[in-house]
Amino acid sequence: MLIAPAQAETRWKLVRSYPHDPAAFTEGLFYHDGALYESTGLEGESEIRKVDLKNGKLLDRRTIPRPYFGEGIVNWKDRLISLTWRHRQGFVWKLNDFSPVSQFRYEGEGWGLTQDGRSLIMSDGTAQLRFLNPDKLTVERRITVTWNGRPVDRLNELEYVKGEIWANIWYDTHIARIDPRTGAVIDWLDIAPLLKASGAKDSEAVANGIAYDAKADRLFVTGKNWAKLFEIKVVK
């Protein structure tokens, strides 16, 4: 289980907020070429979306058919890779129009996805992260994420930020900053004030969704059924 620190040491400030679809049960998020890409969950409601950052409006969408429950997404070259929760089924789409390319299988559950420029990085709800070959979509290695020597489970949505893996923790407002070589948690951010500001009321409306704009050094966070997406900046 998560052994949370008494105080998250990584301080941050709110830069601005943007509209976010409160009906979106956010499972995956990334920023690419001026737009947000988002996946939503729940059986029968799962979609992959391209979203206008400034106004939250949909630019494109692809429905994930029943019985699949959509999970993490990531871009790789001209493709978008998506996971599903319990069906051990992944999909590959064209990034530009979400048309289907291929499918792949994996063991266990599918939760979050990101990439570091060499590998895809996948969470499955445990304390383990898998590094996948981005072309073969096979597991190359695994790391166990730990804090003070203890495993940190419920790793959810992922983002690669300046050489670190950042991870939401399911049912928690802490974001873990993870060393990709060792799995050790470097430090934590606590975004509890944003949960309160999001307008979310339901207990399932947890923090989930981290996206990084590397070119402009902008960091975005949101959650399931949040009415807002927030740009934050780490304070050094």
Side-chain angles (χ1 to χ4, degrees), residues 27-30 37 39 71-76 80-84 89-93 104 106 110-116 119-124 129-132 134 137 155-160 165-166 208 210-211:
E27 296 290 357
L29 192 72
F30 68 85
Y37 291 77
S39 68
E71 283 281 353
I73 55 171
V74 70
N75 61 306
W76 182 260
L80 183 149
I81 297 93
S82 72
L83 303 175
T84 61
Q89 181 68 61
F91 297 98
V92 181
W93 317 87
F104 64 101
Y106 49 84
W111 285 45
L113 269 181
T114 190
Q115 55 115 325
D116 62 4
S119 304
L120 307 187
I121 305 166
M122 171 183 170
S123 65
D124 58 14
L129 295 177
R130 312 176 196 186
F131 289 72
L132 309 181
L137 299 171
L155 300 172
N156 206 350
E157 220 275 307
L158 306 174
E159 183 70 11
Y160 192 75
I165 303 167
W166 287 28
N208 202 46
I210 311 167

Side-chain angles (χ1 to χ4, degrees), residues 132-145:
L132 309 181
N133 180 296
D135 297 309
K136 298 178 181 179
L137 299 171
T138 53
V139 179
E140 295 180 320
R141 68 184 181 100
R142 300 172 187 253
I143 58 173
T144 299
V145 176

Side-chain angles (χ1 to χ4, degrees), residues 47 63 111 137 204 234:
E47 293 184 340
T63 299
W111 285 45
L137 299 171
E204 297 298 319
V234 170

Side-chain angles (χ1 to χ4, degrees), residues 1-2 111 125-127 152-156 168-172:
M1 61 181 294
L2 170 63
W111 285 45
T126 70
V152 178
D153 64 5
R154 294 181 283 123
L155 300 172
N156 206 350
N168 286 118
I169 311 296
W170 192 34
Y171 284 120
D172 201 295

